[in-house]
């Protein structure tokens, strides 16, 4: 039962991380962190950490935890793709962040 709670915890953390990643790229987190590359890197870091935690705990959890883990993993992957794309575009195109 303890493994089930680990999956649920990582799923909740993944939901929060994907929210930070997606809202951070949509200009809502800039009130706290005014630098766009820093905001994108922070969201990308959180989502990668949560994706590793979700995968690691879901492999050891009971079968019923696959549903929240799958939903959270899909949201986290959307956050990873969004933040990494914007971060890489900003690093390769001069003046992208201004």
């Amino acid at each position: 039962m303890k493994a089930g709670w680990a999956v649920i915890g990582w799923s909740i953390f993944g939901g929060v991380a994907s929210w930070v990643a997606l809202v951070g790229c949509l200009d809502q987190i800039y009130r706290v962190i005014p630098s766009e590359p820093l905001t994108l890197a922070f969201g990308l870091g959180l989502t990668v950490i949560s994706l590793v935690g979700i995968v690691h705990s879901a492999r050891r959890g009971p079968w019923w935890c696959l549903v929240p883990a799958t939903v959270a993993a899909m949201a986290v992957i959307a956050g990873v793709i969004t933040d990494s794309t914007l971060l890489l575009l900003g690093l390769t195109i001069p003046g992208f962040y201004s």
Side-chain angles (χ1 to χ4, degrees):
M1 192 61 161
K2 191 175 185 179
W5 286 109
V7 176
I8 298 298
W10 277 110
S11 297
I12 291 171
F13 182 72
V16 171
S18 66
W19 178 81
V20 167
L22 294 173
V23 172
C25 73
L26 296 174
D27 203 5
Q28 296 295 320
I29 305 254
Y30 292 122
R31 295 179 188 149
V32 179
I33 304 172
S35 172
E36 186 171 3
L38 186 61
T39 303
L40 293 172
F42 179 66
L44 184 62
L46 282 179
T47 52
V48 168
I49 289 169
S50 66
L51 188 60
V52 169
I54 289 169
V55 170
H56 182 71
S57 64
R59 289 178 30 201
R60 289 162 176 72
W63 64 269
W64 58 267
C65 287
L66 290 178
V67 173
T70 303
V71 171
M74 289 173 25
V76 167
I77 289 171
V80 166
I81 291 171
T82 304
D83 274 4
S84 63
T85 302
L86 289 175
L87 191 60
L88 289 174
L89 282 174
L91 293 175
T92 57
I93 300 173
F96 183 77
Y97 293 130
S98 56

